[in-house]
Amino acid sequence: MSNSEWNTISFPALNIEFPVYSTAFTIFGVQIKWYGIMIGLGLLLAVIYCFRKMKDVGLDSDRATDAVFFGFIGAIIGARLYYVFMSWDNYKDNLSEIFALRDGGLAIYGGIIGALLFGLITAKIRKVKLLPILDLTGMGFLIGQTLGRWGNFFNHECFGSNTDLPWGMTSPRIQSALSANASAIYSSTGVTVDPTQPVHPCFLYESLWCLIGFLILHFYFKHRKFDGEIFFMYVGWYGLGRFFIEGLRTDSLMVGHLRISQLVAALSVVAAIAVIVAMRMKIRTDGEYTLYKDTEESKALLAETEKKYEEAEQKRKEKKERRSKTDSEVLDDKDKLVDDTDKDETDSLKEDSAAAEEENNNGENN
């Protein structure tokens, strides 16, 4: 079988097929994987989005950006460690594979734990309010997961059991994985799989679920009732979708017959609903809740930051004007030198012309 055939993904019911390679390109002998590119792109867009939303939650972008950035770094570390811990038998004899992030293997719930841990520590050091930044973190996760899941597509992974739906997909790589693990899948989940038949594209389900969640929360953002509400809505939304999607997967992290991610997803939904309901009841009891962005502290910090930006911009303009003035003075001197030279040459030509005319007149008189 050729490399192209081995990597060809097909959707039989739609009569569509095309090769999908895990490696995007190679630089100096190092293979750059699509998985890493999609994770990186998702991270970049998430950081850009969060940076633009800083003022909407009343945070100083200079300090809060650090917390968001290290929160996402913590998410990558936590997601990998969680996955490795739950799949230790695959790594204990080859520890170097732990760092092979380009080949896949990130667990989102480990990512949430890592993001909270790193983000909390950084926010504490930089004196940034935690709950407002958690709202941005939730939105960032939805962006990252929407794009990041397509890394699984390029790796021919994160698929489910057999399906006869029109978008069911298959590939030689998927068939090989199912054939090698069919008995293990049946013994742990009770699901029988036919490697030759199409399977659910679970990566696509999760990507679309996160995209829908992002759009909903993006438009709801300005209507949030308390700081942290968006984050807990994210936890509940993602957990709800993941619970059902995880039930379709054939590559779940298992403890006995229990799908770990499905259990965590269910607990996440319950916890998120409990927090949101409790906070809304508290607001009704205590009266109107003041978002951090509306507090005097937030307004003072933002005004101070704005003043610093204005002063820096003014200094930049003054420096530019001084440089422009200096360049103009130098240019004027050069122009003056050129003018003097031209004047001397013109006077010389006039003198030569006058001498020639006088000599000619003398000749005529003689």
Side-chain angles (χ1 to χ4, degrees):
M1 180 181 296
S2 67
N3 185 47
S4 177
E5 292 173 334
W6 172 250
N7 288 282
T8 295
I9 285 181
S10 61
F11 299 84
L14 301 175
N15 197 28
I16 297 174
E17 65 175 35
F18 46 85
V20 177
Y21 301 100
S22 297
T23 301
F25 52 87
T26 302
I27 298 180
F28 303 117
V30 178
Q31 293 184 343
I32 306 301
K33 303 289 187 177
W34 277 111
Y35 186 87
I37 291 176
M38 298 308 297
I39 292 292
L41 181 59
L43 175 61
L44 176 62
L45 293 181
V47 169
I48 292 174
Y49 177 87
C50 291
F51 184 82
R52 290 175 176 269
K53 296 284 286 185
M54 289 292 182
K55 286 187 178 180
D56 292 344
V57 295
L59 295 178
D60 173 11
S61 59
D62 285 345
R63 291 183 293 176
T65 299
D66 292 341
V68 172
F69 176 76
F70 284 105
F72 281 115
I73 296 298
I76 298 296
I77 295 174
R80 184 58 172 176
L81 291 179
Y82 186 100
Y83 183 87
V84 170
F85 178 77
M86 292 297 177
S87 309
W88 181 244
D89 288 342
N90 298 329
Y91 296 94
K92 63 181 181 180
D93 297 325
N94 192 358
L95 299 181
S96 63
E97 288 296 315
I98 293 176
F99 304 98
L101 293 176
R102 297 174 303 150
D103 297 325
L106 297 175
I108 185 59
Y109 286 111
I112 294 175
I113 295 171
L116 291 177
L117 181 60
F118 277 62
L120 176 61
I121 294 174
T122 307
K124 188 72 175 177
I125 294 174
R126 296 289 280 156
K127 297 180 180 180
V128 178
K129 292 293 183 180
L130 178 62
L131 289 178
I133 209 167
L134 280 180
D135 283 335
L136 296 181
T137 301
M139 299 300 292
F141 266 120
L142 287 172
I143 295 174
Q145 289 169 257
T146 297
L147 290 172
R149 276 305 177 193
W150 283 90
N152 299 126
F153 174 67
F154 288 103
N155 278 353
H156 297 238
E157 61 187 7
C158 193
F159 50 81
S161 54
N162 296 129
T163 180
D164 56 2
L165 292 171
W167 49 82
M169 71 177 192
T170 186
S171 77
R173 289 175 61 176
I174 292 174
Q175 294 172 7
S176 177
L178 287 176
S179 297
N181 297 286
S183 59
I185 293 171
Y186 178 76
S187 63
S188 60
T189 65
V191 176
T192 301
V193 293
D194 182 348
T196 65
Q197 296 301 309
V199 296
H200 286 284
C202 292
F203 79 91
L204 177 61
Y205 299 161
E206 191 164 325
S207 178
L208 291 176
W209 183 256
C210 289
L211 176 59
I212 294 171
F214 169 77
L215 294 175
I216 292 173
L217 294 185
H218 173 76
F219 290 109
Y220 176 77
F221 204 96
K222 62 182 179 181
H223 303 293
R224 59 200 173 99
K225 300 299 186 293
F226 60 90
D227 292 310
E229 183 180 30
I230 295 296
F231 175 76
F232 288 108
M233 284 184 168
Y234 154 72
V235 171
W237 176 266
Y238 177 72
L240 179 63
R242 183 62 183 267
F243 178 82
F244 291 103
I245 295 172
E246 191 69 23
L248 299 174
R249 291 180 60 168
T250 55
D251 58 348
S252 300
L253 296 175
M254 309 288 294
V255 174
H257 296 285
L258 186 65
R259 299 175 188 264
I260 294 299
S261 291
Q262 199 169 32
L263 174 62
V264 175
L267 294 176
S268 297
V269 173
V270 173
I273 293 175
V275 171
I276 293 173
V277 171
M279 282 298 300
R280 291 202 173 196
M281 290 180 64
K282 187 176 186 302
I283 292 172
R284 287 183 180 179
T285 302
D286 298 343
E288 186 177 355
Y289 179 93
T290 302
L291 293 169
Y292 179 69
K293 72 180 183 66
D294 297 323
T295 63
E296 293 301 321
E297 176 184 329
S298 173
K299 292 178 180 179
L301 287 174
L302 291 178
E304 181 181 348
T305 300
E306 188 66 26
K307 184 178 179 180
K308 289 180 180 179
Y309 282 145
E310 290 177 355
E311 291 176 349
E313 180 63 19
Q314 183 62 30
K315 289 180 180 179
R316 187 189 68 80
K317 288 182 178 180
E318 291 175 355
K319 185 177 180 180
K320 183 178 180 180
E321 289 175 358
R322 287 196 301 268
R323 185 185 298 113
S324 177
K325 184 177 180 181
T326 302
D327 293 342
S328 178
E329 291 175 351
V330 172
L331 183 60
D332 289 344
D333 290 340
K334 288 181 178 180
D335 290 342
K336 185 176 181 181
L337 289 174
V338 172
D339 290 344
D340 290 344
T341 302
D342 291 343
K343 184 176 182 298
D344 291 341
E345 292 178 353
T346 302
D347 291 343
S348 179
L349 290 173
K350 287 181 178 179
E351 291 174 357
D352 292 343
S353 177
E357 183 177 351
E358 183 179 353
E359 183 177 349
N360 185 45
N361 290 335
N362 291 335
E364 290 179 354
N365 292 332
N366 291 331

